[in-house]
């Protein structure tokens, strides 16, 4: 336990007990109660089998964590610094209550001077049951505030300022975890402390930048503080007079030759290191110099929705982010960075931090800064209605002010969004349908509180009221209206529409759309026994949180494919069809550029092993879809898009770069034996940051029993290939591909080289092994006589000469035929 004359780090091992049972265990802080109980073998692994049902009691009682610390000197002003306290908690030192917390998203710094004593001290945190407190708060509301039971089987989570997905979601385990996930330290206040750092950028016409840095110093009394502002190698000292309370201090750095920060794929992610220093405290931020605008100009269809960075419009390619794990103790910065690295590796440049989870730790945004991932940041309200009483709004105002001030310096954050789907939620509940005015006014009070607090904390930040939203003060149906704003398009999944339905809408920016698949077989084995490997088993149904989800996956297979022959192939095919669904949407919407300027699919990651809309498995493996994402999100891409009447096939060429691109496109026919016949070759040119048509052919040029296939190379070195089926895959009389693995060897760097050769037509060849790792490519096609060299890089190098066992799937062999 680090101890100095003015600082005691209280992270480490605490003792966990409950006043309602005789359970006792050691708990790591930061950490969560469920993980501590599991480590002590007091509960089974909540993620395995049906153990979710077994551990429900944990959230229904209070828990207490305790530890001791020593002080030799208690003179002066001491405060407790604590954040990510989840959620309703009573903190006492030596029996004296020093904090009553009720917001997981606030930072608390109560004065604890009077509670301390020389020698050994005891700190105790009582974590009150969120289940119990939520129910109590609901009874105190002036009128009932509905929550979404389809998402939240644990009721009344909307009463609490806590991650809403903790109460369950249609992809999350419902166990209402509790704990402490951030800082906990005892600090002595010297002359002053740094409370906040704010920056404003002024990009001048001559190309220089003035960076205004304002730090807020907090003091208990008047004094002189020795303050330093440091930007890279420039260091400035100011001796500042402070008074009791908050004292703002400003310094301006003039940057003659600024290096600009750009999103991934558009330029350099140039970062400057900004530090503000007191003798007893140093605060450091990553600063990126860039301008950001949201273009919402009116046009004939409605109004645009496009981000402009450093004066250039950027097409946003990305996915929605949910918490990295359902239990905080199972997450880590390294695991999170791996997930975000996978986003960039799949050609993404934006992540939407969805409003039912956390405002992430600073290191999350630091990673996004480095990787060039723009962040669409929701405030943490999702899919429910919320109170609008004075005490609740006061709590929200403090939360929003703190979080905005904490995060606003990150160059990756490009948008602040008020909530997720709260406008739509007004129509989801009987109470709000019967008395819409009451609940609409209540929503407006909440939304206005968030907006005012955000703009006060970050005057230059871009505000968007809700997602989806057709515009400011527009409460229309942004699930189906596609002319303005951002859209959530769920008709294909939730309304069981065909994949073609994605081409019936023309969104300006689609910030949610998705299709489910099962998690990969190696991950399934971590929570299900062999006897449970059936989509109708109770274990599989418990690990499917969307009502009717399993039936929809299977029903879609009947629509497009011949049914798979066994459970592993069912899992494989579910992932292929998931990828095809999202591919259908993204390729069409990208072809509409600049009418559409963003596709953010649901969702990047999973919080636990579950059937879901994610393209990454729990733990970070790439599903088949993620390999497809890397192709259809490539900055220069070609897609085959059928006309509305299916009479023509248009080859769309998209260029998201800032340079002219020429493309050599070769189109061919492939029969069911895998024989490839050239059909057309063409060279096409696309202007910077645009979409065009490279070629159009009549569908009649594709004979029955043939696929349309193509490959292309672009002048910037990018390239790719694909195929198009004019109909359904189940109508194809596929023949055995005769896949052969001709070569496997362990190389010096611990990777495995696999060369796959096909004797016939092999569609969506998928390689899988139990070993964690990544493939250079997967879910690829081969015609007769073609080979593909794949490199498998294990997460952890294995012993030389001991190859893992690989499984190979393809579309024909997965079906129920000989």
């Amino acid at each position: 336990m680090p101890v100095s004359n003015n600082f005691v780090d209280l992270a480490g091992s605490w003792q966990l007990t409950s006043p309602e049972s005789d359970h006792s265990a050691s708990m790591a802080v930061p950490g969560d109660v469920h993980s501590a109980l599991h480590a002590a073998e007091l509960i089974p692994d909540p993620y395995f089998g049906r153990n979710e049902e077994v551990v429900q009691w944990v959230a229904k009682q209070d828990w207490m964590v305790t530890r001791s610390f020593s002080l030799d000197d208690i003179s002066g002003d001491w405060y407790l610094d604590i954040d990510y306290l989840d959620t309703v908690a009573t903190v006492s030192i030596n029996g004296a209550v020093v904090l009553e917390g009720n917001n997981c998203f606030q930072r608390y710094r109560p004065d604890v001077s009077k509670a301390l004593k020389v020698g050994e001290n005891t700190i105790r945190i009582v974590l009150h049951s969120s289940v119990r407190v939520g129910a109590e708060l609901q009874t105190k509301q002036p009128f009932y505030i509905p929550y979404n039971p389809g998402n939240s089987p644990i009721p009344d989570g909307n009463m609490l300022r806590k991650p809403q997905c903790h109460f369950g979601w249609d992809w999350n385990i419902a166990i209402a975890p509790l704990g402490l996930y951030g800082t906990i330290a005892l600090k002595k206040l010297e002359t002053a402390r740094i409370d906040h750092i704010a920056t404003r950028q002024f990009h001048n016409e001559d190309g220089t930048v003035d960076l205004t840095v304002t730090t807020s110093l907090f003091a208990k009394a008047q004094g002189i503080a020795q303050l330093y502002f440091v930007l890279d190698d420039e260091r400035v000292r100011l001796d500042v007079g402070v008074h009791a309370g908050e004292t703002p201090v400003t310094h301006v750095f003039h940057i003659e030759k600024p290096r600009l920060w750009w999103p991934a794929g558009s330029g350099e992610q140039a970062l400057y290191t900004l530090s503000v220093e007191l003798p007893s405290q140093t605060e450091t931020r990553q600063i990126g110099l860039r301008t950001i605008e949201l273009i919402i100009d009116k046009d004939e269809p409605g109004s645009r929705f496009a981000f402009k960075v450093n004066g250039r419009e950027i097409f946003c390619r990305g996915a929605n982010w949910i918490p990295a794990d359902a239990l905080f103790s199972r997450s880590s910065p390294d695991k999170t960075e791996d997930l975000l690295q996978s986003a960039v590796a799949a050609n993404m440049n934006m992540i939407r931090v969805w409003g039912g989870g956390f405002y992430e730790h600073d290191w999350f945004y630091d990673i996004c800064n480095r990787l060039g991932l723009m962040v669409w940041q929701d405030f943490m309200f999702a899919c429910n209605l919320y109170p609008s009483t004075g005490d609740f709004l006061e709590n929200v105002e403090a939360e929003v002010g703190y979080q905005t001030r904490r995060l606003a310096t990150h160059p990756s954050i490009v948008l602040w969004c008020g909530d997720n789907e709260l406008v739509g939620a007004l129509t989801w509940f009987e109470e709000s349908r019967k008395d819409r005015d009451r609940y609409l006014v209540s929503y407006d009070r909440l939304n206005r509180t968030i907006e005012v607090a955000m703009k006060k904390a970050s005057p230059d930040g871009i505000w968007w009221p809700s997602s989806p939203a057709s515009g400011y003060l527009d409460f229309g149906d942004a699930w189906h209206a596609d002319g303005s704003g951002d859209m959530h398009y769920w008709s294909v999944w939730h309304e069981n529409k065909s994949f073609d339905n994605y081409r019936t809408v023309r969104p300006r920016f689609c910030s949610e759309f998705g299709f489910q698949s099962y998690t990969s077989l190696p991950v399934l084995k971590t929570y299900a026994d062999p006897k449970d490997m059936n989509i109708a088993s109770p274990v599989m149904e418990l690990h499917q949180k969307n009502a009717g989800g399993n039936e929809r996956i299977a029903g879609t297979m009947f629509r497009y494919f011949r049914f798979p022959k066994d459970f592993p192939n069912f899992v494989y095919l579910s992932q292929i069809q998931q990828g095809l669904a999202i591919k259908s949407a993204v390729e069409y919407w990208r072809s509409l550029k600049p009418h559409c300027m963003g596709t953010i699919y649901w969702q990047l990651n999973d919080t636990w092993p579950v059937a879901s809309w994610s393209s990454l498995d729990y733990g970070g493996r790439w599903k088949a879809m993620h390999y497809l994402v890397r192709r259809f999100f490539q900055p220069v891409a070609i897609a085959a898009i059928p006309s509305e009447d299916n009479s023509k096939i248009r080859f769309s060429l998209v260029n998201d770069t800032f340079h002219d691109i020429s493309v050599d496109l070769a189109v061919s026919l492939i029969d069911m034996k895998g024989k490839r016949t050239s059909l057309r070759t063409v060279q096409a040119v696309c202007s910077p940051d645009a979409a065009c048509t490279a070629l159009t052919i009549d569908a009649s040029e594709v004979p029955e029993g043939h696929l349309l296939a193509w490959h292309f190379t672009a002048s910037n070195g990018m390239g790719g290939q694909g195929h198009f089926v004019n109909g359904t895959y189940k109508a194809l009389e596929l023949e055995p591909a005769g896949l052969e693995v001709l070569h496997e060897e362990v190389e010096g760097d611990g990777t495995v080289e696999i060369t796959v050769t096909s004797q016939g037509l092999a569609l969506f060849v998928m390689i899988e092994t139990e070993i964690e790792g990544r493939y250079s490519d997967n879910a690829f096609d081969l015609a007769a006589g073609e080979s593909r060299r794949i490199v498998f890089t294990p997460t952890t190098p294995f012993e030389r000469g001991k190859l893992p066992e690989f499984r190979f799937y393809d579309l024909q062999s997965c079906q129920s035929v000989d």
Side-chain angles (χ1 to χ4, degrees):
M1 178 178 67
V3 179
S4 68
N5 293 330
N6 59 8
F7 174 84
V8 181
D9 186 358
L10 295 172
S13 180
W14 292 52
Q15 191 63 26
L16 174 67
T17 57
S18 174
E20 299 171 58
S21 65
D22 59 359
H23 292 301
S24 178
S26 174
M27 176 172 160
V29 174
D32 66 85
V33 171
H34 286 80
S35 294
L37 294 174
H38 177 231
E41 299 183 347
L42 295 172
I43 62 171
D45 181 357
Y47 295 179
F48 187 82
R50 299 174 64 184
N51 289 343
E52 176 185 0
E53 299 168 340
V54 177
V55 302
Q56 292 295 310
W57 63 273
V58 175
K60 296 177 181 178
Q61 62 186 55
D62 295 350
W63 293 90
M64 184 164 60
V65 287
T66 309
R67 72 163 298 162
S68 62
F69 60 93
S70 294
L71 287 175
D72 297 328
D73 180 6
I74 62 170
S75 62
D77 297 307
W78 290 82
Y79 64 96
L80 187 66
D81 192 353
I82 184 170
D83 62 1
Y84 289 98
L85 178 60
D86 187 12
T87 286
V88 180
T90 302
V91 183
S92 59
I93 296 179
N94 299 324
V97 174
V98 297
L99 172 65
E100 293 283 3
N102 64 350
N103 191 321
C104 186
F105 309 128
Q106 282 202 44
R107 183 179 186 180
Y108 300 107
R109 284 181 280 197
D111 189 313
V112 298
S113 305
K114 294 180 180 179
L116 299 175
K117 62 184 181 181
V118 174
E120 186 172 282
N121 293 256
T122 299
I123 181 170
R124 175 174 295 138
I125 303 176
V126 178
L127 300 165
H128 299 286
S129 165
S130 298
V131 178
R132 187 180 300 159
V133 174
E136 292 170 354
L137 290 172
Q138 181 70 266
T139 65
K140 297 177 181 178
Q141 296 301 313
F143 51 89
Y144 179 70
I145 309 296
Y147 67 94
N148 189 337
N151 282 338
S152 304
I154 299 176
D156 301 319
N158 55 336
M159 297 293 103
L160 298 170
R161 296 311 303 136
K162 169 182 175 63
Q164 297 297 275
C165 65
H166 278 183
F167 300 91
W169 219 259
D170 55 5
W171 38 260
N172 198 30
I173 189 171
I175 54 176
L178 59 170
L180 173 63
Y181 315 135
T183 301
I184 181 162
L186 190 66
K187 299 179 180 180
K188 186 176 182 179
L189 182 64
E190 302 294 349
T191 304
R193 72 175 181 232
I194 301 167
D195 266 5
H196 304 289
I197 298 172
T199 61
R200 300 187 76 173
Q201 300 179 19
F202 299 91
H203 292 247
N204 303 313
E205 290 186 3
D206 63 1
T208 63
V209 173
D210 290 312
L211 179 69
T212 299
V213 182
T214 300
T215 186
S216 297
L217 301 181
F218 175 83
K220 294 293 290 288
Q222 287 185 336
I224 301 295
Q226 187 181 101
L227 185 66
Y228 290 89
F229 289 91
V230 185
L231 185 68
D232 281 359
D233 297 330
E234 185 176 352
R235 184 179 179 90
V236 179
R237 172 177 168 173
L238 299 175
D239 293 326
V240 179
V242 297
H243 54 76
E246 190 171 288
T247 301
V249 184
T250 296
H251 177 72
V252 179
F253 290 99
H254 181 72
I255 304 168
E256 282 287 340
K257 296 181 179 179
R259 296 176 296 116
L260 298 184
W261 183 93
W262 287 92
S266 296
E268 181 189 4
Q269 287 75 60
L271 293 170
Y272 294 76
T273 300
L274 171 69
S275 295
V276 181
E277 302 174 2
L278 290 170
S280 60
Q281 182 184 6
T282 298
E283 295 292 330
T284 301
R285 304 285 186 270
Q286 293 178 347
I287 301 299
L289 302 178
R290 54 100 176 113
T291 62
I292 181 71
E293 302 170 69
L294 178 62
I295 308 302
I296 53 172
D297 298 340
K298 297 289 185 183
D299 61 9
E300 185 176 349
S303 60
R304 301 196 67 217
F305 193 100
F307 289 93
K308 182 181 283 188
V309 182
N310 300 327
R312 303 205 67 145
E313 289 190 13
I314 304 289
F315 190 97
C316 298
R317 309 180 301 267
N320 283 263
W321 171 270
I322 60 176
D325 207 291
L327 293 172
F328 173 82
S329 296
R330 301 190 182 196
S331 66
S332 71
D334 287 345
K335 291 177 181 178
T336 296
E337 178 154 9
D338 180 67
L339 296 171
L340 294 173
Q341 287 275 10
S342 288
V344 174
N347 294 306
M348 297 188 200
N349 60 15
M350 177 174 273
I351 287 290
R352 176 179 174 233
V353 178
W354 168 78
F358 285 99
Y359 307 93
E360 294 289 340
H361 286 70
D362 279 288
W363 45 259
F364 174 93
Y365 303 94
D366 287 339
I367 295 168
C368 292
N369 297 341
R370 286 191 282 104
L371 296 180
L373 284 170
M374 295 179 285
V375 175
W376 169 312
Q377 178 65 54
D378 280 4
F379 289 99
M380 293 298 116
F381 303 86
C383 298
N384 293 314
L385 302 185
Y386 291 88
S388 59
T389 53
D391 58 340
F392 188 86
L393 295 182
E394 183 179 347
N395 200 359
V396 168
E397 182 181 18
E399 165 193 324
V400 171
Y402 163 64
Q403 292 291 348
T404 306
R405 285 191 298 270
R406 177 176 74 92
L407 298 175
T409 59
H410 290 283
S412 53
I413 296 181
V414 298
L415 184 78
W416 301 90
C417 179
D419 62 70
N420 176 78
E421 298 190 348
L422 264 60
V423 175
L426 291 165
T427 67
W428 297 348
F429 308 106
E430 183 180 1
E431 294 85 357
S432 55
R433 288 195 297 268
K434 286 183 176 179
D435 198 352
R436 180 175 171 82
D437 288 351
R438 166 187 275 183
Y439 289 94
L440 180 59
V441 169
S442 179
Y443 167 75
D444 187 61
R445 291 182 65 187
L446 172 64
N447 192 253
R448 179 64 176 164
T449 297
I450 299 169
E451 179 185 8
V452 170
M454 174 261 154
K455 289 183 174 179
K456 180 180 178 181
S458 180
D460 299 329
I462 296 174
W463 161 260
W464 189 244
S466 181
S467 185
S470 297
Y472 298 106
L473 300 178
D474 188 329
F475 298 98
D477 178 9
W479 282 262
H480 298 90
D482 59 358
S484 303
D486 76 307
M487 185 181 196
H488 290 189
Y489 193 65
W490 281 105
S491 293
V492 171
W493 175 258
H494 287 302
E495 298 174 30
N496 202 27
K497 298 289 183 65
S498 68
F499 295 169
D500 295 341
N501 191 260
Y502 284 122
R503 294 191 288 271
T504 68
V505 292
R506 297 166 57 88
R508 314 314 300 265
F509 191 109
C510 199
S511 48
E512 273 193 31
F513 60 103
F515 200 90
Q516 273 201 359
S517 73
Y518 289 102
T519 191
S520 301
L521 191 62
V523 181
L524 274 161
K525 292 177 179 178
T526 67
Y527 70 82
D529 291 323
K531 66 181 178 61
D532 298 313
M533 298 292 184
N534 185 300
I535 63 167
S537 74
V539 167
M540 290 296 292
E541 289 186 337
L542 189 67
H543 287 250
Q544 164 61 270
K545 295 300 184 180
N546 183 238
N550 288 346
E551 294 93 323
R552 196 159 297 128
I553 292 173
T556 302
M557 283 186 189
F558 278 120
R559 178 182 286 166
Y560 291 111
F561 301 99
R562 302 184 187 191
F563 214 62
K565 62 188 178 186
D566 57 21
F567 183 77
N569 281 283
F570 187 91
V571 172
Y572 154 77
L573 192 55
S574 79
Q575 293 194 8
I576 297 301
Q577 75 174 7
Q578 177 195 30
L580 290 174
I582 304 308
K583 176 176 179 286
S584 300
V586 170
E587 290 183 336
Y588 177 63
W589 294 340
R590 287 189 74 189
S591 80
L592 302 177
K593 181 182 179 176
H595 174 91
C596 175
M597 285 301 291
T599 58
I600 311 297
Y601 67 81
W602 188 270
Q603 68 217 55
L604 179 69
N605 57 305
D606 274 332
T607 58
W608 72 308
V610 66
S612 82
W613 300 266
S614 69
S615 61
L616 297 176
D617 282 321
Y618 175 68
R621 288 175 184 261
W622 288 28
K623 291 184 179 178
M625 173 173 150
H626 207 77
Y627 290 96
L628 270 62
V629 170
R630 184 169 61 185
R631 294 173 205 152
F632 62 63
F633 268 169
Q634 189 172 245
V636 177
I638 282 186
I641 300 173
S643 60
E644 188 174 348
D645 63 0
N646 292 313
S647 65
K648 295 184 181 301
I649 302 164
R650 174 172 66 92
F651 286 87
S652 167
L653 168 58
V654 179
N655 176 17
D656 283 351
T657 76
F658 297 154
H659 307 283
D660 286 328
I661 290 292
S662 65
V663 167
D664 291 315
L665 172 64
V667 181
S668 58
L669 299 172
I670 303 179
D671 66 18
M672 294 300 97
K673 294 184 181 296
K675 181 182 178 182
R676 187 186 294 271
T677 305
S678 178
L679 180 64
R680 203 80 53 86
T681 60
V682 66
Q683 186 175 76
V685 177
C686 191
S687 58
D689 200 28
C692 65
T693 297
L695 174 69
T696 299
I697 67 170
D698 288 332
S700 60
E701 294 185 59
V702 184
E704 185 177 351
H706 287 72
L707 301 178
L708 189 65
W710 69 91
H711 66 266
F712 75 94
T713 55
S715 55
N716 68 346
M718 293 182 185
Q721 62 180 359
H723 73 258
F724 175 77
V725 174
N726 193 15
T728 63
Y729 286 93
K730 68 182 180 182
L732 299 177
E733 296 294 345
L734 294 172
E735 298 184 21
L739 289 179
E740 295 180 0
V741 180
L742 299 179
H743 184 69
E744 298 182 1
E745 78 177 35
V746 179
E747 298 186 348
D749 59 0
T751 61
V752 180
E753 182 182 291
I754 307 168
T755 301
V756 184
T757 301
S758 182
Q759 304 306 309
L761 174 61
L763 299 178
F764 306 116
V765 178
M766 188 81 181
I767 312 171
E768 182 179 76
T769 184
E770 304 299 320
I771 303 295
E772 294 276 356
R774 190 166 301 165
Y775 300 86
S776 58
D777 199 8
N778 223 336
F780 53 86
D781 301 334
L782 293 172
E786 295 180 348
S787 297
R788 184 70 60 89
R789 174 183 174 272
I790 304 297
V791 176
F792 174 71
T793 305
T795 302
T796 303
F798 41 82
E799 185 178 343
R800 185 173 178 84
K802 291 192 175 181
L803 291 174
E805 181 180 341
F806 292 99
R807 292 184 291 272
F808 295 84
Y809 302 89
D810 73 275
L811 185 58
Q812 189 278 335
S813 65
C814 96
Q815 298 176 144
S816 297
V817 294
D818 294 330

